[in-house]
Amino acid sequence: MSTDVQDREPTFIELESLKPLRPDIEAITSLSIDSLHRYYAKYIVKLSPRRSGMKLRHALAIASGKLSKD
């Protein structure tokens, strides 16, 4: 009995996980990296000197319109 990932709510651990901006967060929010940096900079975390990420919780809130811009 396997459950499809799209049919269930994300777990707490999944919501708190950091996802890279490209391609994951871009696909979820349908915003470019420049727009994410411009409007949602306080939710972005540096993963390495060249890579940035964001918590899945914040990306889903942006996509649903529940998170306000800076």
Side-chain angles (χ1 to χ4, degrees), residues 3 5 12 16 24 30 33-34 51-52 57 63-64 69:
T3 59
V5 174
F12 176 76
E16 293 299 313
D24 296 345
S30 71
I33 289 182
D34 289 336
R51 292 179 54 224
S52 299
R57 169 186 311 279
S64 66
K69 294 179 180 179

Side-chain angles (χ1 to χ4, degrees), residues 25-69:
I25 302 302
E26 278 185 323
I28 292 169
T29 62
S30 71
L31 295 173
S32 69
I33 289 182
D34 289 336
S35 293
L36 290 166
H37 278 286
R38 185 176 299 120
Y39 298 116
Y40 300 102
K42 65 182 174 183
Y43 303 107
I44 294 175
V45 179
K46 289 298 269 183
L47 302 176
S48 72
R50 298 184 73 193
R51 292 179 54 224
S52 299
M54 182 182 288
K55 285 186 179 183
L56 180 60
R57 169 186 311 279
H58 295 137
L60 294 174
I62 292 169
S64 66
K66 295 179 182 175
L67 202 61
S68 63
K69 294 179 180 179

Side-chain angles (χ1 to χ4, degrees), residues 8-26:
R8 64 174 178 80
E9 293 291 320
T11 65
F12 176 76
I13 299 292
E14 290 170 337
L15 287 173
E16 293 299 313
S17 66
L18 289 171
K19 302 293 183 188
L21 291 185
R22 181 175 288 137
D24 296 345
I25 302 302
E26 278 185 323

